[in-house]
């Protein structure tokens, strides 16, 4: 057993999840593959969305995977960083918009 | 930024035996990863054999005005290996009788060979249909004596294939040297000005894309679209096709992979992306590579590893196409670079 929670080489074993639940694993990977195909959005745009979400989810495997995927697609580091800021802005916005609830509560409770 | 070749720096990897040891030891010797031979045996593609010969690729010398970080030739200004006129004459004798329809001139910077123009004129008379020069672009602007190269290429209807790792300055200069992007753009504009790369023009101008790091190239068509949009929008540049080429783990790129501790992961990426369909069309099956000193190889990469063809015919002076075609192709772990994903060759992807 590894002594750390995350091991970069585990990413290569992702496909093994089908071994313990073949039907659900296969359905997931079929779905996953379909999602990233060219569609109304380009595969390039989807890669940048995935990179931003990888950061907001703070998934180290996904960050490794979609940074490499971006480089392979010719995506620049400036584009990658902007995408991460979009994710960060939504995360912080999501936190801050809750402060309206806090303000509402304060206004209701205070004389 | 690199200034000298591995050879001039007395780097361990200038020794091709050392490179072959690295490619055969470690993760491949301990069985963690399958050797290329084992992998193609599993898909019944061993031994790899030539098909119809289509391309003669001549390396006119390792001298170059650039020192690119990924160069598999280890080319640079300090490399003095140049094809002599005598060897060129031997190549011309072969060109006149070969079944190959394409002549592919590479280097280094092939234009730096002092007999380059004479050779092109003579080879053109021999009636080759497709005549490729692999130009690094900056050579066109390197010295006044090269300024007329676009006109020269045009005169002989040469198909120009040029390297361009990205449509942005930063990524290009990091791989190919400070100022290379700006000069390449100027050279491309000059090629466009004489008619190269314009839609429907017979003067063919294609670009070669190599990833600028330890990752594989993405989809060739998608990259071509992005290159076209960006180069046209930013610099009004046109070109025909983009060839996406995988960096093979030899020479300077191998040195980089080891120094940056990316070697094992890169080899794993290549093997994970192994595509048996690409094996069917790898360029060593339709190409003969000739070195500056006339030796014969299955491909340019084997040439750089000093792996001569496994044939009784090994030199251009003894050339016999029938005997040469009856051979097994020499393979090693670097071959995984040509069979990953959609495959890779000097003409781009080989499987769709």
């Amino acid at each position: 057993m590894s002594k750390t929670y995350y091991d970069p080489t585990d990413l290569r074993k992702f496909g093994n999840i089908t071994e313990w639940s073949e039907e659900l694993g296969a359905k997931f990977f079929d779905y996953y593959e379909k999602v990233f195909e060219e569609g109304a959005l380009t595969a390039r745009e989807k890669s940048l969305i995935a990179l931003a979400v990888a950061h907001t989810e703070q998934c180290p495997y996904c960050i490794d995977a979609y940074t490499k995927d971006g480089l392979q697609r010719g995506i620049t580091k400036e584009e990658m960083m902007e995408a991460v800021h979009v994710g960060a802005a939504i995360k912080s916005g999501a936190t801050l918009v809750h402060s309206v609830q806090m303000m509402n509560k304060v206004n209701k409770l205070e004389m | 930024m690199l200034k000298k070749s591995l050879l001039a720096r007395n780097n361990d990897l200038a020794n091709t035996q050392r490179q072959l040891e690295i490619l055969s030891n470690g993760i491949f010797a301990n069985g963690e990863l399958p050797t290329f031979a084992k992998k193609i045996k599993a898909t019944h593609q061993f031994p790899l054999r030539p098909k119809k010969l289509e391309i003669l690729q001549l390396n006119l010398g390792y001298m170059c005005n650039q020192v690119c970080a990924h160069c598999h030739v280890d080319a640079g200004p300090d490399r003095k290996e140049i094809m002599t006129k005598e060897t060129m004459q031997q190549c011309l004798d072969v060109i006149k009788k070969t079944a190959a329809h394409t002549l592919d001139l590479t280097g280094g910077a092939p234009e730096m060979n002092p007999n380059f123009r004479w050779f092109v004129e003579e080879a053109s008379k021999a009636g080759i249909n497709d005549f490729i020069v692999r130009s690094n672009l900056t050579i066109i602007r390197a010295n006044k004596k090269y300024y007329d190269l676009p006109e020269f290429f045009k005169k002989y209807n040469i198909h120009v294939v040029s390297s361009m790792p990205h449509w942005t300055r930063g990524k290009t200069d990091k791989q190919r040297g400070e100022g290379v992007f700006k000069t390449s753009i100027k050279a491309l504009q000059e090629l466009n000005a004489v008619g190269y790369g314009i839609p429907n023009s017979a003067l063919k101008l294609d670009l070669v894309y190599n990833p600028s790091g330890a990752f594989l190239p993405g989809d060739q068509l998608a990259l071509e679209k992005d290159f076209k949009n960006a180069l046209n929008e930013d610099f009004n540049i046109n070109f025909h096709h983009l060839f996406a080429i995988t960096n093979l783990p030899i020479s300077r790129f191998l040195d980089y992979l080891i120094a940056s501790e990316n070697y094992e992961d890169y080899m794993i990426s290549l093997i994970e992306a192994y595509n048996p369909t690409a094996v069917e069309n790898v360029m060593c099956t339709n190409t003969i590579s000739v070195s500056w000193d006339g030796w014969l190889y299955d491909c340019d990469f084997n040439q750089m590893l000093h792996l001569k063809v496994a044939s009784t015919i090994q030199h251009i002076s003894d050339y016999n196409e029938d005997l040469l075609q009856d051979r097994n192709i020499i393979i090693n772990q670097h071959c995984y670079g040509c069979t990953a994903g959609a495959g890779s060759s000097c003409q781009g992807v080989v499987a769709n």
Side-chain angles (χ1 to χ4, degrees):
Chain A
M1 271 295 282
S2 165
K3 290 202 171 141
T4 56
Y5 284 106
Y6 289 117
D7 178 349
T9 63
D10 279 352
L11 178 57
R12 296 205 290 273
K13 301 174 195 156
F14 191 14
N16 297 354
I17 66 162
T18 47
E19 288 172 11
W20 288 10
S21 176
E22 197 176 339
E23 190 193 354
L24 293 178
K27 277 185 192 293
F28 166 76
F29 284 116
D30 283 349
Y31 166 75
Y32 193 96
E33 204 171 302
K34 194 79 191 158
V35 163
F36 281 94
E37 282 176 6
E38 292 269 340
L41 293 177
T42 64
R44 192 178 197 278
E45 287 164 337
K46 290 179 184 184
S47 179
L48 279 166
I49 293 170
L51 182 71
V53 177
H55 280 77
T56 60
E57 292 297 310
Q58 298 179 345
C59 167
Y61 302 111
C62 315
I63 293 171
D64 271 5
Y66 284 94
T67 301
K68 195 169 171 186
D69 186 73
L71 286 171
Q72 290 181 179
R73 293 179 192 282
I75 294 173
T76 62
K77 56 190 179 190
E78 290 82 6
E79 290 172 303
M80 288 188 203
M81 188 56 92
E82 279 190 26
V84 173
H85 275 290
V86 171
I90 295 297
K91 275 290 248 194
S92 54
T95 304
L96 287 170
V97 74
H98 284 82
S99 65
V100 177
Q101 187 184 337
M102 175 266 289
M103 291 162 78
N104 290 343
K105 193 73 178 172
V106 168
N107 289 339
K108 185 166 186 237
L109 294 177
E110 269 191 343
M111 288 179 76
Chain B
M1 205 61 72
L2 287 179
K3 299 275 186 211
K4 288 182 178 175
S5 65
L6 294 173
L7 189 67
R9 284 183 274 144
N10 290 317
N11 185 298
D12 202 23
L13 289 189
N15 176 354
T16 55
Q17 267 315 109
R18 180 72 194 116
Q19 293 184 49
L20 289 167
E21 277 167 29
I22 292 167
L23 288 169
S24 301
N25 294 342
I27 42 180
F28 291 102
N30 68 19
E32 192 181 333
L33 297 175
T35 61
F36 188 73
K38 193 174 174 190
K39 197 78 175 171
I40 65 170
K41 268 178 195 162
T43 44
H44 311 291
Q45 289 164 306
F46 182 87
L48 205 51
R49 298 274 297 172
K51 294 188 208 166
K52 187 178 174 299
L53 181 65
E54 296 184 70
I55 303 165
L56 265 183
Q57 188 176 62
L58 311 184
N59 193 307
L60 299 192
Y62 302 158
M63 186 181 281
C64 190
N65 57 319
Q66 294 182 188
V67 188
C68 298
H70 69 298
C71 183
H72 70 280
V73 179
D74 193 28
D78 58 61
R79 297 300 300 260
K80 307 302 178 201
E81 299 91 334
I82 286 285
M83 187 180 278
T84 62
K85 203 166 180 178
E86 187 191 357
T87 305
M88 283 178 162
Q89 187 57 58
Q90 290 170 341
C91 292
L92 287 169
D93 295 342
V94 168
I95 288 164
K96 284 169 193 159
K97 58 189 181 189
T98 180
H101 52 68
T102 297
L103 184 64
D104 187 338
L105 303 184
T106 186
E111 303 95 327
M112 289 178 87
N113 184 307
N115 296 307
F116 169 73
R117 294 186 193 223
W118 169 81
F119 182 72
V120 166
E121 285 163 22
E122 294 301 312
S124 183
K125 284 180 205 161
I128 286 279
N129 290 329
D130 189 14
F131 202 156
I132 297 172
V133 169
R134 294 187 183 269
S135 177
N136 68 19
L137 292 175
T138 62
I139 192 68
I140 294 172
R141 300 298 310 161
N143 184 299
K144 270 186 190 167
K145 67 179 174 181
Y146 300 122
Y147 285 1
D148 67 333
L149 275 172
E151 288 290 353
F152 178 80
F153 292 152
K154 181 179 179 175
K155 184 176 172 190
Y156 292 97
N157 194 25
I158 284 170
H159 173 179
V160 178
V161 178
S162 296
S163 299
M164 195 78 184
H166 205 261
W167 58 84
T168 57
R169 187 184 62 79
K171 282 197 167 213
T172 301
D173 285 0
K174 202 169 174 187
Q175 182 188 87
R176 300 178 71 76
E178 197 63 37
V180 165
F181 182 73
K182 196 176 160 195
T183 312
S184 299
I185 291 296
K186 178 88 180 112
L188 284 171
Q189 286 167 336
E190 286 176 6
L191 284 164
N192 279 171
V194 300
Y196 268 100
I198 307 300
N200 302 318
S201 167
L203 296 169
K204 283 200 265 178
L205 172 63
D206 295 327
L207 297 184
V208 166
Y209 161 83
N210 284 84
S212 49
F215 50 92
L216 309 187
D219 178 72
Q220 180 170 278
L221 273 178
L223 283 165
E224 178 180 293
K225 199 173 150 200
D226 290 339
F227 264 82
K228 282 194 172 178
N229 287 343
L231 289 178
N232 196 283
E233 201 172 294
D234 297 346
F235 305 104
N236 199 25
I237 284 171
N238 288 291
F239 67 94
H240 290 128
H241 292 292
L242 182 83
F243 301 153
I245 300 187
T246 304
N247 289 313
L248 263 66
I250 70 167
S251 194
R252 273 185 220 150
F253 191 67
L254 177 61
D255 181 49
Y256 154 76
L257 288 175
I258 293 169
S260 61
E261 298 182 354
N262 278 308
Y263 171 69
E264 288 191 8
D265 283 345
Y266 190 74
M267 295 311 290
I268 290 165
S269 297
L270 291 179
I271 293 167
E272 281 180 343
Y274 173 78
N275 177 0
T277 312
V279 179
E280 288 299 308
N281 300 310
V282 278
M283 65 177 171
C284 51
T285 59
N286 72 353
T287 303
I288 290 282
S289 159
V290 186
S291 64
W292 66 277
D293 48 357
W295 295 102
L296 306 175
Y297 300 87
D298 299 303
C299 71
D300 204 38
F301 302 106
N302 279 4
Q303 179 185 145
M304 299 317 151
L305 288 168
H306 298 167
L307 298 169
K308 290 185 186 117
V309 282
S311 168
T312 51
I313 306 297
Q314 289 197 313
H315 196 268
I316 192 84
S317 55
D318 302 319
Y319 195 87
N320 178 319
E321 211 152 279
D322 291 336
L323 283 177
L324 200 52
Q325 286 297 89
D326 184 23
R327 71 184 199 279
N328 291 341
I329 291 166
I330 306 273
I331 55 169
N332 204 308
Q333 279 53 265
H334 64 291
C335 302
Y336 275 121
C338 290
T339 59
S344 177
S345 76
C346 287
Q347 330 297 323
V349 300
V350 296
N352 290 308

